[in-house]
Amino acid sequence: MDKLNLGVIGLGSRGYSVLVWLLLGMEDVNVTVVCDVYEDRARAGQRAVFEKTGKEPLMCLDYHDAIKAPGLDAVLIFTSWDTHAEIAIASMKAGIPVGSEVGCEYSLSNCQRLVDTYEDTGTPYMFMENCCYGKEELLATSMARRGLFGEIVHCAGAYAHDLRYEVAWGIENRHYRFRNYEHRCCENYPTHELGPIARLLDINRGNRIVSVVSLASKAAGLKAYIEKEAETKNVPEYMKTTSFMQGDIVTTILKCANGETIQLRLDTTLPRFYSRNFTVRGTKGLYEQDTNMVFLDGVHEDKYFDTVMSYEQFMNNAREYEKDYLPEVWKAVTPEVEAAGHGGMDYFVYRAFIEAVKNKTPMPIDVYDGVTWMAVGVLSEMSIRNNGAVQDMPDFTHGKWQTRPREDVVEM
Amino acid sequence: MDKLNLGVIGLGSRGYSVLVWLLLGMEDVNVTVVCDVYEDRARAGQRAVFEKTGKEPLMCLDYHDAIKAPGLDAVLIFTSWDTHAEIAIASMKAGIPVGSEVGCEYSLSNCQRLVDTYEDTGTPYMFMENCCYGKEELLATSMARRGLFGEIVHCAGAYAHDLRYEVAWGIENRHYRFRNYEHRCCENYPTHELGPIARLLDINRGNRIVSVVSLASKAAGLKAYIEKEAETKNVPEYMKTTSFMQGDIVTTILKCANGETIQLRLDTTLPRFYSRNFTVRGTKGLYEQDTNMVFLDGVHEDKYFDTVMSYEQFMNNAREYEKDYLPEVWKAVTPEVEAAGHGGMDYFVYRAFIEAVKNKTPMPIDVYDGVTWMAVGVLSEMSIRNNGAVQDMPDFTHGKWQTRPREDVVEM
């Protein structure tokens, strides 16, 4: 397979930008189908492909048509969260390998259906979690794999991203977040932080998430934001009267079969700067992504009782470990790759999918990973609704987590 | 009351150092009684008082004797965690105002007994949580009180303090931590971070903690530490064979009646530097103690997608707010006060107790505060033992939290 015939389903902002900035620049990819329920978006995608390649891809408004397109080798899904599963299931049934963008899932049954369909059809499925290819996440994972942090006992991470503008004004741009924040309260986007943690902790490969507990703060951020917007802008009535269910801070704790805890924070409706804070804690040391800091027993010393002085001393010292521990692909990263999306990790995740389809090798982030991570969202919703009651994580591997081989997630 | 006749019960490292560095330097304090179950410690306390004042205080080995000493105006308790309550109860019954050092409690019934005894006797009780007087905690609380962070929806904090040496070698120094880490698994020291958060959120004064959820990671840190110690030191057999129950990282989430969440982290048996990370999140901004950082909506901007660059930009910028928001006592702090214990906050908490006893004014951190904060430890133990099951916080105020007046916790 020299060139892969690819279908792109969903051409909102994420789909369109991955198409233009990544896929159209890849020499071994033909985008032969573009699909969106909104004709203007589908047409914009079609135009972008034509302008770059001189060839006009098939344009569809219905994904059922898209996956039937002749000669299609694989599809990528960039649609709204609540349509990822059904499109992936239809693709797998049609025998078309599928890469699904990240998001949250709404029901355990949809998670199970994804697994069942994969097991029934054998069609490859990849969950496109770009943060699994993040530079800091891979540096820290590489150090963990080489034992620098000792036995790992705890990891933490966050999706801390001020999305108030995107959520509040989202419907104007046909975005699905508004309705989610209106109707639901949960860890609605767990995978950016959980994905890399799960890989480091060998989840579904000798380890397993066994339970989820989640609590949400009150929802005050969006209301305050919209009130402030209304002082200077013409804010539509529906925005002013909507009351949002989604708590501003959702704290989730996962327990793993091997005794580790994982703490997640969803943090999207209060003022702050972006952070994922991938954090690794072991018997010999720690890594914290926010400050890109390493602290190793016997190497670094708690010289001060003053935490700020410690941060000033150690901040960004993880750079010193890149020479020995950063994966080769990141050492060789080009400015073009870094510019192509989220500092480079988008390129790596899409290349991983394309290589796996072309070479018929196992998907590096498979359906078991994807559904386990998304199920955290479902279980967090149930836990929050029950004041923090513990929820059991289903074993989507049917016991095979005990024997599925540990993955080398660092060397790509 | 010109001079207060004070009894000091418990002369281990905390009691002895508060005696020598703080109490003996106060002109309005006579230390007339010293008490410890270990005679050498009691005698050392007696000697320290004599050397400083020329007067020999009464020395007791039994606290029952200490609180009966003639002319005693108040006692301070510095004993092991599991004796705080019984001594405080005996003192209140004897009509002697009592200041109890911080620690954890072991049973809800002891918490209730403290409240009942206080209500029966009317004897003042203060919980000596020094971190309620911390400089950063008070700066951020002052900013919150003046509305800079908008509506507060979430707070977080940690007791992150590498105590491996103290715990592992503790018995050699007759310390109680070893047995606690051997037998129990819980948030065993919640009040350093929870105290200042509870005051900011008006807990027991218009707000209330309603539930506690807690999960612990596996316990691996102490075992690894002791194994490493054994490579170079003569480590006693009991240390090598003890298996510790206490998980290395305990994550706790509290829910408040007014909808806020509070996240706590106990983090004492892995390598790291000291941190309490008092964190305040509101609709208009945030404060983070670890990096002493303020981020306000419309003032500070998320210029970068790169979190480290944001930290480099904003770190320690809270200093800019000290002029307008730092409480006066901290502006006027002297080098002597700062040197007298934990950067100055020890001085303030002990002065607060002494002033309240002398002036017969209400204790600034009263029995309801103390037992609520300590009960978090009890409930976390129950939650962890039940895989994270939600535990209800008793209402120790019997409903009076709704009407107890909000406190000005900033102006001291």
Side-chain angles (χ1 to χ4, degrees):
Chain A
M1 201 186 289
D2 279 350
K3 280 222 176 196
L4 201 67
N5 291 333
L6 202 61
V8 174
I9 302 179
L11 286 147
S13 81
R14 177 70 176 157
Y16 187 82
S17 63
V18 169
L19 173 68
V20 169
W21 291 102
L22 279 170
L23 304 174
L24 290 179
M26 293 181 184
E27 292 191 348
D28 56 354
V29 168
N30 279 332
V31 175
T32 57
V33 186
V34 291
C35 173
D36 201 291
V37 289
Y38 298 112
E39 191 178 335
D40 58 319
R41 289 185 175 176
R43 202 165 292 287
Q46 190 184 42
R47 194 162 47 237
V49 178
F50 180 77
E51 278 169 10
K52 175 80 181 185
T53 66
K55 287 185 217 155
E56 190 155 87
L58 177 65
M59 186 188 96
C60 309
L61 303 184
D62 184 329
Y63 72 81
H64 296 93
D65 299 330
I67 60 182
K68 278 186 232 148
L72 195 60
D73 293 314
V75 295
L76 288 168
I77 302 172
F78 300 94
T79 58
S80 63
W81 294 341
D82 59 355
T83 54
H84 286 181
E86 65 176 88
I87 301 173
I89 287 165
S91 299
M92 283 192 274
K93 284 185 177 166
I96 308 293
V98 58
S100 173
E101 255 301 335
V102 303
C104 68
E105 204 30 83
Y106 297 78
S107 65
L108 292 179
S109 62
N110 243 3
C111 294
Q112 193 59 60
R113 274 216 302 167
L114 282 163
V115 169
D116 292 347
T117 308
Y118 169 74
E119 293 184 347
D120 290 347
T121 63
T123 309
Y125 168 102
M126 178 164 165
F127 188 71
M128 308 299 287
E129 181 44 72
N130 56 356
C131 297
C132 290
Y133 296 86
K135 182 178 176 182
E136 293 92 14
E137 284 90 343
L138 283 172
L139 172 63
T141 305
S142 164
M143 293 175 70
R145 284 281 196 260
R146 310 268 275 276
L148 268 78
F149 304 127
E151 182 177 354
I152 309 299
V153 302
H154 177 78
C155 292
Y159 182 62
H161 192 178
D162 177 0
L163 295 175
R164 290 175 299 165
Y165 172 82
E166 274 182 77
V167 176
W169 293 97
I171 292 180
E172 312 286 302
N173 191 31
R174 297 175 294 197
H175 203 285
Y176 44 88
R177 271 209 177 88
F178 189 97
R179 294 300 177 209
N180 276 278
Y181 281 66
E182 181 185 6
H183 293 299
R184 306 170 73 211
C185 182
C186 63
E187 172 40 280
N188 67 27
Y189 209 58
T191 72
H192 277 344
E193 67 270 37
L194 178 55
I197 291 171
R199 281 157 77 86
L200 187 148
L201 292 178
D202 297 314
I203 299 300
N204 294 331
R205 294 175 177 81
N207 199 359
R208 179 171 114 68
I209 296 168
V210 294
S211 64
V212 176
V213 153
S214 204
L215 279 155
S217 78
K218 64 175 136 187
L222 284 170
K223 186 165 185 293
Y225 175 78
I226 290 167
E227 276 166 14
K228 189 148 173 282
E229 289 286 275
E231 289 170 13
T232 55
K233 292 180 193 154
N234 192 8
V235 168
E237 200 54 30
Y238 75 86
M239 230 192 264
K240 287 188 245 180
T241 54
T242 298
S243 87
F244 295 95
M245 292 281 287
Q246 178 64 49
D248 293 320
I249 302 281
V250 175
T251 310
T252 301
I253 319 172
L254 316 179
K255 185 91 197 207
C256 300
N258 294 345
E260 306 89 346
T261 43
I262 302 172
Q263 192 232 311
L264 310 177
R265 187 178 81 247
L266 180 79
D267 177 356
T268 56
T269 48
L270 297 174
R272 65 156 301 123
F273 52 77
Y274 184 86
S275 142
R276 294 197 298 275
N277 208 20
F278 183 71
T279 299
V280 184
R281 301 296 305 275
T283 54
K284 292 185 183 167
L286 68 81
Y287 175 79
E288 278 188 12
Q289 184 181 25
D290 267 5
T291 48
N292 198 35
M293 190 191 66
V294 169
F295 185 94
L296 300 181
D297 208 13
V299 176
H300 305 101
E301 218 184 315
D302 184 4
K303 283 194 204 165
Y304 316 106
F305 200 63
D306 180 320
T307 318
V308 175
M309 288 173 76
S310 296
Y311 272 102
E312 282 172 347
Q313 184 189 1
F314 299 123
M315 192 149 107
N316 228 343
N317 71 350
R319 287 179 305 192
E320 297 159 24
Y321 296 83
E322 290 182 9
K323 183 170 160 291
D324 291 332
Y325 298 98
L326 190 65
E328 289 304 321
V329 294
W330 266 108
K331 283 188 186 164
V333 76
T334 62
E336 292 73 28
V337 165
E338 288 188 303
H342 294 115
M345 61 190 183
D346 285 357
Y347 175 83
F348 292 125
V349 73
Y350 283 99
R351 284 311 305 169
F353 174 73
I354 288 158
E355 299 290 343
V357 173
K358 284 174 67 179
N359 303 322
K360 301 189 190 303
T361 47
M363 287 293 165
I365 307 175
D366 67 14
V367 71
Y368 302 102
D369 297 323
V371 300
T372 304
W373 307 347
M374 288 193 289
V376 168
V378 182
L379 296 167
S380 89
E381 193 170 356
M382 292 156 66
S383 181
I384 289 168
R385 210 160 36 221
N386 291 284
N387 302 315
V390 200
Q391 306 296 317
D392 285 328
M393 173 66 80
D395 176 4
F396 292 108
T397 73
H398 307 294
K400 295 198 177 61
W401 65 273
Q402 301 168 93
T403 48
R404 278 162 52 96
R406 193 184 193 207
E407 278 229 322
D408 184 352
V409 296
V410 176
E411 292 308 321
M412 297 185 295
Chain B
M1 202 184 289
D2 279 349
K3 280 223 177 195
L4 202 68
N5 290 333
L6 202 62
V8 174
I9 303 178
L11 286 148
S13 81
R14 178 68 175 157
Y16 186 82
S17 63
V18 170
L19 173 68
V20 169
W21 292 101
L22 280 169
L23 303 175
L24 290 180
M26 293 181 185
E27 294 191 348
D28 56 353
V29 168
N30 279 333
V31 176
T32 55
V33 185
V34 292
C35 174
D36 201 292
V37 289
Y38 299 111
E39 191 178 336
D40 58 320
R41 288 184 176 177
R43 201 164 294 285
Q46 190 184 42
R47 192 163 47 238
V49 177
F50 180 78
E51 278 169 11
K52 175 79 182 182
T53 65
K55 287 185 217 155
E56 190 155 88
L58 177 67
M59 188 187 95
C60 309
L61 303 183
D62 185 329
Y63 71 82
H64 296 92
D65 299 329
I67 59 182
K68 276 187 236 149
L72 195 61
D73 293 314
V75 294
L76 287 168
I77 303 171
F78 299 94
T79 58
S80 64
W81 295 339
D82 58 356
T83 53
H84 287 181
E86 64 177 87
I87 301 173
I89 288 165
S91 299
M92 283 192 275
K93 284 185 178 167
I96 307 292
V98 57
S100 172
E101 254 301 336
V102 303
C104 67
E105 203 28 84
Y106 297 77
S107 66
L108 291 179
S109 63
N110 244 2
C111 295
Q112 193 61 59
R113 272 214 304 165
L114 282 163
V115 169
D116 293 347
T117 308
Y118 170 73
E119 294 184 347
D120 290 347
T121 63
T123 310
Y125 169 101
M126 179 166 165
F127 189 71
M128 307 299 289
E129 181 43 72
N130 57 354
C131 297
C132 290
Y133 296 86
K135 182 179 177 183
E136 294 92 13
E137 284 90 343
L138 282 173
L139 173 63
T141 304
S142 163
M143 293 176 71
R145 283 282 196 260
R146 310 268 277 274
L148 267 78
F149 304 127
E151 182 177 354
I152 309 301
V153 302
H154 176 78
C155 292
Y159 182 62
H161 192 179
D162 177 358
L163 295 174
R164 291 175 299 167
Y165 172 81
E166 274 183 75
V167 176
W169 294 96
I171 292 180
E172 311 287 302
N173 190 31
R174 297 175 290 194
H175 203 286
Y176 44 88
R177 269 209 178 86
F178 189 98
R179 294 299 177 208
N180 275 278
Y181 280 66
E182 180 186 8
H183 294 299
R184 306 171 72 209
C185 182
C186 63
E187 171 43 279
N188 66 28
Y189 209 57
T191 72
H192 278 343
E193 68 268 39
L194 178 55
I197 292 172
R199 281 158 77 86
L200 188 149
L201 292 178
D202 297 314
I203 299 300
N204 294 332
R205 294 175 177 82
N207 199 1
R208 178 171 113 69
I209 296 167
V210 294
S211 65
V212 176
V213 153
S214 204
L215 280 154
S217 78
K218 64 175 131 187
L222 284 170
K223 187 167 186 292
Y225 174 79
I226 290 167
E227 276 167 13
K228 190 150 172 284
E229 289 284 276
E231 287 171 14
T232 55
K233 292 180 193 153
N234 192 9
V235 169
E237 200 55 29
Y238 75 85
M239 229 193 266
K240 287 188 244 177
T241 53
T242 298
S243 91
F244 296 95
M245 291 281 286
Q246 179 63 50
D248 293 319
I249 302 280
V250 175
T251 309
T252 301
I253 320 174
L254 316 180
K255 184 91 195 206
C256 301
N258 294 344
E260 305 90 346
T261 44
I262 301 170
Q263 193 231 309
L264 310 177
R265 189 177 79 248
L266 180 80
D267 178 355
T268 56
T269 48
L270 298 174
R272 66 157 299 124
F273 52 77
Y274 184 87
S275 141
R276 293 197 301 272
N277 208 20
F278 183 71
T279 299
V280 184
R281 301 296 305 276
T283 54
K284 291 186 184 168
L286 68 80
Y287 175 78
E288 279 187 12
Q289 184 181 25
D290 267 5
T291 49
N292 197 34
M293 190 190 65
V294 170
F295 186 94
L296 300 181
D297 207 14
V299 176
H300 304 102
E301 220 185 315
D302 184 4
K303 284 196 202 164
Y304 317 106
F305 200 61
D306 181 319
T307 318
V308 176
M309 289 172 76
S310 295
Y311 272 101
E312 282 171 348
Q313 185 189 1
F314 299 123
M315 192 151 107
N316 228 342
N317 71 351
R319 287 179 303 192
E320 298 158 25
Y321 295 84
E322 290 182 8
K323 184 171 159 291
D324 291 332
Y325 299 99
L326 191 64
E328 290 305 321
V329 293
W330 266 108
K331 283 188 186 164
V333 77
T334 61
E336 291 73 30
V337 166
E338 289 188 304
H342 295 115
M345 61 192 184
D346 285 357
Y347 175 82
F348 292 126
V349 73
Y350 283 99
R351 283 311 305 170
F353 174 73
I354 289 159
E355 299 289 342
V357 173
K358 285 175 67 180
N359 303 322
K360 301 188 188 304
T361 48
M363 288 292 165
I365 308 176
D366 68 12
V367 72
Y368 302 103
D369 297 325
V371 299
T372 305
W373 306 348
M374 288 192 289
V376 167
V378 182
L379 296 167
S380 90
E381 193 169 358
M382 291 157 66
S383 181
I384 289 167
R385 210 162 33 223
N386 291 284
N387 303 312
V390 200
Q391 305 297 318
D392 286 327
M393 172 66 80
D395 176 4
F396 292 107
T397 73
H398 307 295
K400 296 200 177 60
W401 64 272
Q402 302 168 93
T403 47
R404 276 161 55 94
R406 193 186 195 207
E407 278 229 324
D408 184 351
V409 296
V410 175
E411 292 309 321
M412 296 184 294

